[in-house]
mmCIF file with all atom_site columns, all heavy atoms in Angstrom:
data_model
loop_
_atom_site.group_PDB
_atom_site.id
_atom_site.type_symbol
_atom_site.label_atom_id
_atom_site.label_alt_id
_atom_site.label_comp_id
_atom_site.label_asym_id
_atom_site.label_entity_id
_atom_site.label_seq_id
_atom_site.pdbx_PDB_ins_code
_atom_site.Cartn_x
_atom_site.Cartn_y
_atom_site.Cartn_z
_atom_site.occupancy
_atom_site.B_iso_or_equiv
_atom_site.pdbx_formal_charge
_atom_site.auth_seq_id
_atom_site.auth_comp_id
_atom_site.auth_asym_id
_atom_site.auth_atom_id
_atom_site.pdbx_PDB_model_num
ATOM 1   N N   . GLU A 1 247 ? -0.462 -34.572 73.157 1.00 95.00 ? 247 GLU A N   1
ATOM 2   C CA  . GLU A 1 247 ? -0.253 -35.467 71.995 1.00 95.00 ? 247 GLU A CA  1
ATOM 3   C C   . GLU A 1 247 ? 1.201  -35.329 71.461 1.00 95.00 ? 247 GLU A C   1
ATOM 4   O O   . GLU A 1 247 ? 1.755  -34.224 71.428 1.00 95.00 ? 247 GLU A O   1
ATOM 5   C CB  . GLU A 1 247 ? -1.227 -35.069 70.895 1.00 95.00 ? 247 GLU A CB  1
ATOM 6   C CG  . GLU A 1 247 ? -1.107 -35.925 69.637 1.00 95.00 ? 247 GLU A CG  1
ATOM 7   C CD  . GLU A 1 247 ? -2.192 -35.551 68.623 1.00 95.00 ? 247 GLU A CD  1
ATOM 8   O OE1 . GLU A 1 247 ? -3.384 -35.449 68.997 1.00 95.00 ? 247 GLU A OE1 1
ATOM 9   O OE2 . GLU A 1 247 ? -1.824 -35.423 67.452 1.00 95.00 ? 247 GLU A OE2 1
ATOM 10  N N   . TYR A 1 248 ? 1.751  -36.482 71.017 1.00 97.00 ? 248 TYR A N   1
ATOM 11  C CA  . TYR A 1 248 ? 3.073  -36.480 70.473 1.00 97.00 ? 248 TYR A CA  1
ATOM 12  C C   . TYR A 1 248 ? 3.000  -36.991 69.034 1.00 97.00 ? 248 TYR A C   1
ATOM 13  O O   . TYR A 1 248 ? 2.884  -38.179 68.793 1.00 97.00 ? 248 TYR A O   1
ATOM 14  C CB  . TYR A 1 248 ? 3.964  -37.437 71.332 1.00 97.00 ? 248 TYR A CB  1
ATOM 15  C CG  . TYR A 1 248 ? 5.401  -37.521 70.902 1.00 97.00 ? 248 TYR A CG  1
ATOM 16  C CD1 . TYR A 1 248 ? 6.129  -36.442 70.505 1.00 97.00 ? 248 TYR A CD1 1
ATOM 17  C CD2 . TYR A 1 248 ? 6.065  -38.767 70.876 1.00 97.00 ? 248 TYR A CD2 1
ATOM 18  C CE1 . TYR A 1 248 ? 7.495  -36.517 70.126 1.00 97.00 ? 248 TYR A CE1 1
ATOM 19  C CE2 . TYR A 1 248 ? 7.383  -38.890 70.514 1.00 97.00 ? 248 TYR A CE2 1
ATOM 20  C CZ  . TYR A 1 248 ? 8.096  -37.764 70.166 1.00 97.00 ? 248 TYR A CZ  1
ATOM 21  O OH  . TYR A 1 248 ? 9.399  -37.864 69.802 1.00 97.00 ? 248 TYR A OH  1
ATOM 22  N N   . SER A 1 249 ? 2.960  -36.043 68.071 1.00 98.00 ? 249 SER A N   1
ATOM 23  C CA  . SER A 1 249 ? 2.771  -36.441 66.701 1.00 98.00 ? 249 SER A CA  1
ATOM 24  C C   . SER A 1 249 ? 3.394  -35.398 65.774 1.00 98.00 ? 249 SER A C   1
ATOM 25  O O   . SER A 1 249 ? 3.686  -34.265 66.156 1.00 98.00 ? 249 SER A O   1
ATOM 26  C CB  . SER A 1 249 ? 1.268  -36.563 66.358 1.00 98.00 ? 249 SER A CB  1
ATOM 27  O OG  . SER A 1 249 ? 0.651  -35.306 66.555 1.00 98.00 ? 249 SER A OG  1
ATOM 28  N N   . GLY A 1 250 ? 3.644  -35.777 64.534 1.00 98.00 ? 250 GLY A N   1
ATOM 29  C CA  . GLY A 1 250 ? 4.255  -34.923 63.569 1.00 98.00 ? 250 GLY A CA  1
ATOM 30  C C   . GLY A 1 250 ? 3.437  -34.888 62.284 1.00 98.00 ? 250 GLY A C   1
ATOM 31  O O   . GLY A 1 250 ? 2.638  -35.814 62.017 1.00 98.00 ? 250 GLY A O   1
ATOM 32  N N   . ASP A 1 251 ? 3.681  -33.897 61.453 1.00 98.00 ? 251 ASP A N   1
ATOM 33  C CA  . ASP A 1 251 ? 3.071  -33.784 60.130 1.00 98.00 ? 251 ASP A CA  1
ATOM 34  C C   . ASP A 1 251 ? 4.058  -34.444 59.151 1.00 98.00 ? 251 ASP A C   1
ATOM 35  O O   . ASP A 1 251 ? 5.176  -34.014 59.054 1.00 98.00 ? 251 ASP A O   1
ATOM 36  C CB  . ASP A 1 251 ? 2.854  -32.320 59.822 1.00 98.00 ? 251 ASP A CB  1
ATOM 37  C CG  . ASP A 1 251 ? 2.175  -32.107 58.495 1.00 98.00 ? 251 ASP A CG  1
ATOM 38  O OD1 . ASP A 1 251 ? 2.675  -32.610 57.459 1.00 98.00 ? 251 ASP A OD1 1
ATOM 39  O OD2 . ASP A 1 251 ? 1.184  -31.395 58.455 1.00 98.00 ? 251 ASP A OD2 1
ATOM 40  N N   . ASN A 1 252 ? 3.586  -35.450 58.397 1.00 98.00 ? 252 ASN A N   1
ATOM 41  C CA  . ASN A 1 252 ? 4.457  -36.182 57.508 1.00 98.00 ? 252 ASN A CA  1
ATOM 42  C C   . ASN A 1 252 ? 4.232  -35.764 55.997 1.00 98.00 ? 252 ASN A C   1
ATOM 43  O O   . ASN A 1 252 ? 4.691  -36.474 55.116 1.00 98.00 ? 252 ASN A O   1
ATOM 44  C CB  . ASN A 1 252 ? 4.258  -37.651 57.638 1.00 98.00 ? 252 ASN A CB  1
ATOM 45  C CG  . ASN A 1 252 ? 2.870  -38.144 57.228 1.00 98.00 ? 252 ASN A CG  1
ATOM 46  O OD1 . ASN A 1 252 ? 2.061  -37.323 56.760 1.00 98.00 ? 252 ASN A OD1 1
ATOM 47  N ND2 . ASN A 1 252 ? 2.592  -39.403 57.351 1.00 98.00 ? 252 ASN A ND2 1
ATOM 48  N N   . SER A 1 253 ? 3.610  -34.618 55.772 1.00 97.00 ? 253 SER A N   1
ATOM 49  C CA  . SER A 1 253 ? 3.261  -34.256 54.385 1.00 97.00 ? 253 SER A CA  1
ATOM 50  C C   . SER A 1 253 ? 4.526  -34.016 53.529 1.00 97.00 ? 253 SER A C   1
ATOM 51  O O   . SER A 1 253 ? 4.528  -34.326 52.345 1.00 97.00 ? 253 SER A O   1
ATOM 52  C CB  . SER A 1 253 ? 2.362  -33.013 54.354 1.00 97.00 ? 253 SER A CB  1
ATOM 53  O OG  . SER A 1 253 ? 2.973  -31.934 55.055 1.00 97.00 ? 253 SER A OG  1
ATOM 54  N N   . LEU A 1 254 ? 5.598  -33.484 54.121 1.00 98.00 ? 254 LEU A N   1
ATOM 55  C CA  . LEU A 1 254 ? 6.824  -33.293 53.369 1.00 98.00 ? 254 LEU A CA  1
ATOM 56  C C   . LEU A 1 254 ? 7.389  -34.627 52.912 1.00 98.00 ? 254 LEU A C   1
ATOM 57  O O   . LEU A 1 254 ? 7.831  -34.774 51.754 1.00 98.00 ? 254 LEU A O   1
ATOM 58  C CB  . LEU A 1 254 ? 7.851  -32.549 54.227 1.00 98.00 ? 254 LEU A CB  1
ATOM 59  C CG  . LEU A 1 254 ? 9.093  -32.104 53.497 1.00 98.00 ? 254 LEU A CG  1
ATOM 60  C CD1 . LEU A 1 254 ? 8.772  -31.008 52.459 1.00 98.00 ? 254 LEU A CD1 1
ATOM 61  C CD2 . LEU A 1 254 ? 10.129 -31.525 54.533 1.00 98.00 ? 254 LEU A CD2 1
ATOM 62  N N   . LEU A 1 255 ? 7.400  -35.595 53.781 1.00 98.00 ? 255 LEU A N   1
ATOM 63  C CA  . LEU A 1 255 ? 7.865  -36.943 53.442 1.00 98.00 ? 255 LEU A CA  1
ATOM 64  C C   . LEU A 1 255 ? 6.998  -37.530 52.316 1.00 98.00 ? 255 LEU A C   1
ATOM 65  O O   . LEU A 1 255 ? 7.528  -38.131 51.360 1.00 98.00 ? 255 LEU A O   1
ATOM 66  C CB  . LEU A 1 255 ? 7.789  -37.841 54.644 1.00 98.00 ? 255 LEU A CB  1
ATOM 67  C CG  . LEU A 1 255 ? 8.255  -39.332 54.456 1.00 98.00 ? 255 LEU A CG  1
ATOM 68  C CD1 . LEU A 1 255 ? 9.782  -39.381 54.283 1.00 98.00 ? 255 LEU A CD1 1
ATOM 69  C CD2 . LEU A 1 255 ? 7.775  -40.191 55.571 1.00 98.00 ? 255 LEU A CD2 1
ATOM 70  N N   . LEU A 1 256 ? 5.671  -37.391 52.398 1.00 97.00 ? 256 LEU A N   1
ATOM 71  C CA  . LEU A 1 256 ? 4.786  -37.930 51.399 1.00 97.00 ? 256 LEU A CA  1
ATOM 72  C C   . LEU A 1 256 ? 4.967  -37.276 50.034 1.00 97.00 ? 256 LEU A C   1
ATOM 73  O O   . LEU A 1 256 ? 4.775  -37.921 49.003 1.00 97.00 ? 256 LEU A O   1
ATOM 74  C CB  . LEU A 1 256 ? 3.315  -37.812 51.888 1.00 97.00 ? 256 LEU A CB  1
ATOM 75  C CG  . LEU A 1 256 ? 2.946  -38.568 53.166 1.00 97.00 ? 256 LEU A CG  1
ATOM 76  C CD1 . LEU A 1 256 ? 1.501  -38.377 53.466 1.00 97.00 ? 256 LEU A CD1 1
ATOM 77  C CD2 . LEU A 1 256 ? 3.253  -40.058 52.970 1.00 97.00 ? 256 LEU A CD2 1
ATOM 78  N N   . ARG A 1 257 ? 5.287  -36.014 50.039 1.00 97.00 ? 257 ARG A N   1
ATOM 79  C CA  . ARG A 1 257 ? 5.584  -35.353 48.746 1.00 97.00 ? 257 ARG A CA  1
ATOM 80  C C   . ARG A 1 257 ? 6.866  -35.841 48.153 1.00 97.00 ? 257 ARG A C   1
ATOM 81  O O   . ARG A 1 257 ? 7.017  -35.907 46.927 1.00 97.00 ? 257 ARG A O   1
ATOM 82  C CB  . ARG A 1 257 ? 5.617  -33.840 48.936 1.00 97.00 ? 257 ARG A CB  1
ATOM 83  C CG  . ARG A 1 257 ? 4.301  -33.187 49.221 1.00 97.00 ? 257 ARG A CG  1
ATOM 84  C CD  . ARG A 1 257 ? 4.311  -31.657 48.968 1.00 97.00 ? 257 ARG A CD  1
ATOM 85  N NE  . ARG A 1 257 ? 5.268  -30.975 49.742 1.00 97.00 ? 257 ARG A NE  1
ATOM 86  C CZ  . ARG A 1 257 ? 5.002  -30.468 50.938 1.00 97.00 ? 257 ARG A CZ  1
ATOM 87  N NH1 . ARG A 1 257 ? 3.794  -30.621 51.483 1.00 97.00 ? 257 ARG A NH1 1
ATOM 88  N NH2 . ARG A 1 257 ? 5.971  -29.812 51.636 1.00 97.00 ? 257 ARG A NH2 1
ATOM 89  N N   . GLU A 1 258 ? 7.828  -36.187 48.993 1.00 97.00 ? 258 GLU A N   1
ATOM 90  C CA  . GLU A 1 258 ? 9.130  -36.668 48.548 1.00 97.00 ? 258 GLU A CA  1
ATOM 91  C C   . GLU A 1 258 ? 9.079  -38.120 48.011 1.00 97.00 ? 258 GLU A C   1
ATOM 92  O O   . GLU A 1 258 ? 9.589  -38.407 46.926 1.00 97.00 ? 258 GLU A O   1
ATOM 93  C CB  . GLU A 1 258 ? 10.168 -36.543 49.649 1.00 97.00 ? 258 GLU A CB  1
ATOM 94  C CG  . GLU A 1 258 ? 11.557 -36.920 49.293 1.00 97.00 ? 258 GLU A CG  1
ATOM 95  C CD  . GLU A 1 258 ? 12.272 -35.881 48.431 1.00 97.00 ? 258 GLU A CD  1
ATOM 96  O OE1 . GLU A 1 258 ? 12.797 -34.950 48.976 1.00 97.00 ? 258 GLU A OE1 1
ATOM 97  O OE2 . GLU A 1 258 ? 12.234 -36.108 47.231 1.00 97.00 ? 258 GLU A OE2 1
ATOM 98  N N   . ILE A 1 259 ? 8.463  -38.969 48.776 1.00 96.00 ? 259 ILE A N   1
ATOM 99  C CA  . ILE A 1 259 ? 8.357  -40.395 48.416 1.00 96.00 ? 259 ILE A CA  1
ATOM 100 C C   . ILE A 1 259 ? 6.899  -40.596 47.980 1.00 96.00 ? 259 ILE A C   1
ATOM 101 O O   . ILE A 1 259 ? 6.024  -40.785 48.805 1.00 96.00 ? 259 ILE A O   1
ATOM 102 C CB  . ILE A 1 259 ? 8.733  -41.317 49.600 1.00 96.00 ? 259 ILE A CB  1
ATOM 103 C CG1 . ILE A 1 259 ? 10.088 -40.898 50.195 1.00 96.00 ? 259 ILE A CG1 1
ATOM 104 C CG2 . ILE A 1 259 ? 8.762  -42.756 49.140 1.00 96.00 ? 259 ILE A CG2 1
ATOM 105 C CD1 . ILE A 1 259 ? 10.473 -41.728 51.404 1.00 96.00 ? 259 ILE A CD1 1
ATOM 106 N N   . LYS A 1 260 ? 6.689  -40.663 46.709 1.00 88.00 ? 260 LYS A N   1
ATOM 107 C CA  . LYS A 1 260 ? 5.324  -40.660 46.179 1.00 88.00 ? 260 LYS A CA  1
ATOM 108 C C   . LYS A 1 260 ? 4.477  -41.857 46.584 1.00 88.00 ? 260 LYS A C   1
ATOM 109 O O   . LYS A 1 260 ? 3.299  -41.777 46.769 1.00 88.00 ? 260 LYS A O   1
ATOM 110 C CB  . LYS A 1 260 ? 5.362  -40.527 44.665 1.00 88.00 ? 260 LYS A CB  1
ATOM 111 C CG  . LYS A 1 260 ? 6.183  -39.374 44.140 1.00 88.00 ? 260 LYS A CG  1
ATOM 112 C CD  . LYS A 1 260 ? 5.647  -38.056 44.567 1.00 88.00 ? 260 LYS A CD  1
ATOM 113 C CE  . LYS A 1 260 ? 6.456  -36.893 43.975 1.00 88.00 ? 260 LYS A CE  1
ATOM 114 N NZ  . LYS A 1 260 ? 6.047  -35.571 44.502 1.00 88.00 ? 260 LYS A NZ  1
#
Side-chain angles (χ1 to χ4, degrees):
E247 181 177 312
Y248 183 43
S249 62
D251 183 305
N252 66 2
S253 57
L254 189 66
L255 179 75
L256 296 181
R257 289 199 300 270
E258 182 73 85
I259 309 177
K260 306 299 183 185

